Amino acid sequence: MKIVIALGGNALLKRGEPMTAENQRENVKTACGQIARVYDGNQLIITHGNGPQVGLLALQNNAYKEVPMYPLDVLGAETVGMIGYMIQQELSNAVPRSASIATVLTQIQVDPQDPAFQKPSKPVGPVYSKEEADKIAAEKGWTMAPDNDKYRRVVASPKPVNIYGLRPLKTLIENNYIVVCGGGGGIPTWVDDAGKQHGAEAVIDKDLASALLATLIDADLFVIATDVDGAYIDWGKPEQKRIALATPDAALAFGFASGSMGPKIEAAANFAKATGKDAVIGALADIEQIVAGKAGTRISGKAEGVTYA
């Protein structure tokens, strides 16, 4: 099977962990060990997030006052290279030496008229106290928003429209490369009236971009790997139930919050609707069972209503 695996942020950095290279390396090593379990007999395409890394690089970049801070799309490209390198190296240590692995910087087209540019909503970078957030917002003109009891910078999160460089991506996949691509939701790019490309000061949702990628490369299965074993209704309550199987429309009808499971459900539903194939949200630790159809929340056009675990 051709499988797209979208790694959640916890695969790179657990909440509250210092953003050291050592911590990220250890988390990537663990994630790659899990991915290697489904290497045999499958074509693997891996995507990942980069929010904290972009934020850290922006702060480091801004510390050098001789030049203005680099745009967010450029910082995003830098972090995608760094994270892709770690994934590629650790994965090469986990799969047979005969495997070929490639990391690709992926430009994803967005619409400059997308209303998201008027309402920044995507958290990036580290968390701050209220006092720190107010100070940074005043100094840098960033938009800050609450994140539990802390604050984070938020930027525009436009919808992904298309993927540039799709042909070389497909060539690598067709030649049985493990491909690491679409990092951070891809590098947001827009096109002017003259057909010229420009980077956008934005972050594309990783799961929505991964769903588009999975659709355009005709993946057989789309897996959103996170730190929970699926999508739950009544989460945190005694009556909570995990959704085992649902149609795209039934899953969307639950109205999951945009700050938690919402984008994952939307991404899974997008893929299932566009392809007629299955998308699964579940724990990376359950990856073998997910691929076997025995774990996670599966969104499928072949489902009938909703089934609970």
Side-chain angles (χ1 to χ4, degrees):
M1 283 197 298
K2 187 188 301 180
I3 307 172
V4 172
I5 302 174
L7 293 177
N10 62 296
L12 304 174
L13 194 71
K14 293 180 174 59
R15 192 176 185 87
E17 274 188 335
M19 287 188 288
T20 65
E22 292 77 13
N23 283 340
Q24 294 179 69
R25 170 78 70 175
E26 193 60 33
N27 289 327
V28 168
K29 180 179 179 181
T30 299
C32 289
Q34 294 294 331
I35 292 171
R37 294 175 179 270
V38 294
Y39 167 73
D40 287 341
N42 295 309
Q43 292 177 298
L44 302 180
I45 300 92
I46 301 163
T47 68
H48 60 83
N50 69 340
Q53 291 79 10
V54 166
L56 176 63
L57 189 56
L59 292 173
Q60 293 174 334
N61 188 261
N62 193 55
Y64 182 63
K65 302 298 183 182
E66 299 300 316
V67 296
M69 187 172 70
Y70 281 19
L72 190 58
D73 60 302
V74 175
L75 298 180
E78 292 185 46
T79 63
V80 167
M82 174 192 74
I83 296 167
Y85 156 69
M86 287 187 177
I87 292 174
Q88 183 171 330
Q89 191 170 78
E90 291 302 331
L91 197 54
S92 70
N93 292 330
V95 298
R97 292 293 181 185
S98 58
S100 297
I101 308 172
T103 298
V104 179
L105 295 181
T106 312
Q107 295 185 76
I108 295 188
Q109 183 181 0
V110 299
D111 181 354
Q113 303 304 317
D114 191 309
F117 285 104
Q118 306 303 318
K119 296 180 179 180
S121 63
K122 186 73 171 179
V124 296
V127 296
Y128 304 97
S129 68
K130 179 67 164 61
E131 293 74 20
E132 291 172 324
D134 289 343
K135 180 180 179 182
I136 292 172
E139 290 176 351
K140 304 181 185 299
W142 290 358
T143 301
M144 310 296 280
D147 183 4
N148 294 320
D149 61 338
K150 300 290 185 179
Y151 285 77
R152 292 179 74 185
R153 182 191 181 190
V154 290
V155 298
S157 184
K159 300 289 187 182
V161 174
N162 201 4
I163 297 177
Y164 296 111
L166 195 60
R167 184 178 298 175
L169 272 178
K170 287 183 175 180
T171 298
L172 289 169
I173 295 166
E174 288 166 1
N175 284 276
N176 294 315
Y177 277 73
I178 299 175
V179 181
V180 183
C181 61
I187 302 164
T189 307
W190 62 279
V191 180
D192 63 21
D193 293 338
K196 293 184 178 179
Q197 297 181 10
H198 305 269
E201 189 79 356
V203 172
I204 304 169
D205 182 86
K206 164 187 63 65
D207 296 317
L208 294 179
S210 299
L212 176 63
L213 170 70
T215 299
L216 294 178
I217 65 171
D218 194 28
D220 298 301
L221 180 66
F222 173 39
V223 177
I224 300 176
T226 182
D227 56 354
V228 294
D229 63 349
Y232 282 74
I233 63 168
D234 298 319
W235 174 254
K237 300 178 181 179
E239 63 271 23
Q240 71 178 30
K241 292 188 293 186
R242 177 171 62 84
I243 301 168
L245 180 65
T247 65
D249 288 339
L252 290 169
F254 284 109
F256 285 98
S258 60
S260 57
M261 192 59 69
K264 300 182 189 306
I265 292 290
E266 181 182 354
N270 286 352
F271 174 77
K273 282 186 172 184
T275 66
K277 300 173 184 177
D278 293 358
V280 187
I281 301 167
L284 181 60
D286 296 334
I287 188 69
E288 288 177 289
Q289 295 298 305
I290 287 173
V291 171
K294 299 178 181 178
T297 293
R298 186 168 294 257
I299 310 300
S300 173
K302 298 183 286 291
E304 294 183 4
V306 181
T307 303
Y308 299 98

